[in-house]
Amino acid sequence: MARKVGIYTRISRDDEGDALGVARQQKDCERLSDLRAWQAVKVYEDNDVSAFKRNVVRDDFELMLKDLRAGLIDGIVAYDLDRLARQPRDLERLIEIFDERPRLEFATVTNDINLGTPDGRTMARIMVAFANKSSHDSSRRIRRKHLELAQQGRDSGGPAPYGWRKDDRTKVDPDAAAAIREAQREILAGVRIGTIRTRWQEQGLGNPRAGTKRMAHHHVEHILTSPRLVGYRTYHGEILYGENGQPVRGDWETINTVEEWEAVCAAVAERKQKRPGKFLARKYLLSGIARCGLCKNKIRGQNNPRWEPGSRAAKYTYQCSGVNGGCGKVSRTGEPIDKLIAQLVLEEQRERAAVTSVPIERRWPRDAELEEIEQDMAQLVEAERSKQISVATLLQLLPGKERARDELKLERARFYKEQKQAEAKENASDLSLDEFFALPIERQQEIVLHSLSAVIIHPAGRGRRKFDPSLIEPVWH
Ligand SMILES: [Zn+2]
């Protein structure tokens, strides 16, 4: 015999619009209990009551606890933990019953928690403790207002994000938008966010609020990857999806195409994965690229502490260091080597650009496939709505489609990321030497590594003072 469960729904006064209205919560819970082959025998409904106000008595919640204890129901289905219990006290009373009757069933639509297992109960305690801490009536009311606006695709108030005009946040600020696009090209070409942050701080870019000059790393990252750039509406940092399964579009001007934006997001995400934590900021062009002519160890740049502007001493040198197992015998003034290598590399890339044709911008070839899957999904959902198929059938078919869609989207992002990366790296060929040295150091290194795999610095004879280019050996790809 099917197990009998109760459905618990709740909407609070300051809940987030009607997105999770009681009717929808109930429908979702019924689907879920159908799927588990449980029998939903009773619906407990507390409407318009805030679960985190201590003194509020939730009548149906109390009734549900009683029914559970009495064995009238064998479990609970709720939308999420948030609807069910926001007060640690309520949660503990619920947990007590689950401890007493280990065979009780439990499920939430969002699958955020399972009170039926000891681990789930521990997790629930943590989640409720946090929710309890962050619940403030006023902030929730403001959020509700934001969600309403968001669902209509309308912009919320507040200061304009960087990229849009201060007097009208629906209009693009052309200078800021150009700075964002430039920084995105740099990201695709291998420049670190930290480097862009430093430059923006120097130039006073990125932060529309006056007075605060410093910007956090994540602030810059957000500016360059914000869904707002393509007009996607977000809510609590998540892209908001409409009824049709497509992102809700805002009514403001956009700065990126979806392809450009996805490429940047993919590049940022990839970099985080590859090298989590802090990046080593390099100061010298050939650090990690130059090698000692004697021992072939990697050579690093080294600052000369005695150097002053106008002095004839070397500003920095490339030195084979005994510390890292090198021979310690080769050392050379840095600047002329960098200049020589930059000249050679730019020359080589100019020649190469002259013989290879400009790459044609290609569309991702599987657009139609993705569109088809999305249509399939919409049709399935519609078929269930009009009772042509059961919920169970829908939920069997949907996950496979969702997986296929997500994989295709990921592939599309990678495709455009690689294309944009190639483009960003391509345009080095028309740089002047000064322009080259004005680029961030990672970008300079990328350009060098595009042509060279290493630079070997051969030892100079004793007493030789003049720079001898023949002792610098570029190793071409
Ligand atoms: Zn050496």
Side-chain angles (χ1 to χ4, degrees), residues 373 377 398-409:
I373 287 177
M377 288 171 64
L398 218 45
K401 298 275 180 199
E402 283 168 347
R403 253 197 311 281
R405 177 201 59 191
D406 294 345
E407 273 165 23
L408 279 172
K409 278 190 168 176

Side-chain angles (χ1 to χ4, degrees), residues 10-28 79-80 83 109-110 143-152 235 240-243 248:
R10 178 183 70 79
I11 188 164
S12 73
R13 196 183 316 271
D14 44 16
D15 223 321
E16 288 147 1
D18 55 0
L20 287 175
V22 163
R24 205 193 111 197
Q25 287 179 50
Q26 187 182 328
K27 203 171 146 220
D28 287 348
Y79 190 84
D80 57 16
R83 311 284 131 179
V109 172
T110 58
R143 270 159 41 198
R144 176 190 176 168
K145 184 76 196 148
H146 281 175
L147 181 66
E148 275 170 12
L149 291 174
Q151 280 167 335
Q152 297 157 12
Y235 183 69
L240 201 66
Y241 287 85
E243 289 262 292
V248 174

Side-chain angles (χ1 to χ4, degrees), residues 372-421:
E372 204 172 302
I373 287 177
E374 284 178 334
Q375 276 168 6
D376 284 356
M377 288 171 64
Q379 273 168 11
L380 280 172
V381 172
E382 186 45 45
E384 191 274 329
R385 215 173 273 161
S386 56
K387 305 279 180 226
Q388 290 167 358
I389 59 170
S390 70
V391 181
T393 308
L394 173 68
L395 292 177
Q396 263 168 16
L397 295 174
L398 218 45
K401 298 275 180 199
E402 283 168 347
R403 253 197 311 281
R405 177 201 59 191
D406 294 345
E407 273 165 23
L408 279 172
K409 278 190 168 176
L410 202 65
E411 192 197 292
R412 181 177 67 183
R414 274 198 220 106
F415 176 86
Y416 285 116
K417 187 207 73 182
E418 270 157 31
Q419 193 174 78
K420 305 281 171 201
Q421 271 178 335

Side-chain angles (χ1 to χ4, degrees), residues 131-285:
N132 204 39
K133 208 169 147 221
S134 64
S135 293
H136 298 294
D137 285 4
S138 58
S139 72
R140 284 172 72 84
R141 256 193 297 276
I142 291 165
R143 270 159 41 198
R144 176 190 176 168
K145 184 76 196 148
H146 281 175
L147 181 66
E148 275 170 12
L149 291 174
Q151 280 167 335
Q152 297 157 12
R154 289 203 0 240
D155 209 352
S156 49
Y162 186 64
W164 285 267
R165 272 164 49 178
K166 282 174 197 164
D167 58 335
D168 181 356
R169 45 180 287 154
T170 66
K171 298 279 187 300
V172 164
D173 170 350
D175 293 340
I180 289 173
R181 279 193 286 261
E182 171 61 23
Q184 288 176 326
R185 270 192 295 276
E186 289 183 320
I187 293 285
L188 289 165
V191 175
R192 296 172 314 122
I193 285 185
T195 306
I196 290 165
R197 177 178 71 162
T198 308
R199 183 165 60 77
W200 275 13
Q201 273 173 191
E202 282 165 9
Q203 299 176 348
L205 298 175
N207 198 337
R209 272 164 295 183
T212 46
K213 205 151 190 253
R214 286 194 59 77
M215 273 187 296
H217 180 97
H218 67 85
H219 183 61
V220 179
E221 181 181 315
H222 179 74
I223 291 175
L224 301 179
T225 58
S226 167
R228 187 183 165 87
L229 294 164
V230 286
Y232 288 168
R233 199 66 182 85
T234 57
Y235 183 69
H236 284 203
E238 303 268 324
I239 295 172
L240 201 66
Y241 287 85
E243 289 262 292
N244 57 2
Q246 294 298 318
V248 174
R249 298 267 185 170
D251 58 359
W252 56 84
E253 294 176 359
T254 59
I255 291 178
N256 285 146
T257 65
V258 173
E259 290 80 20
E260 288 165 347
W261 173 75
E262 281 185 348
V264 174
C265 293
V268 169
E270 188 185 69
R271 195 92 77 80
K272 270 190 193 159
Q273 231 170 25
K274 234 189 256 171
R275 296 201 239 154
K278 283 216 175 271
F279 287 96
L280 197 65
R282 291 222 157 116
K283 273 170 85 178
Y284 303 105
L285 176 64

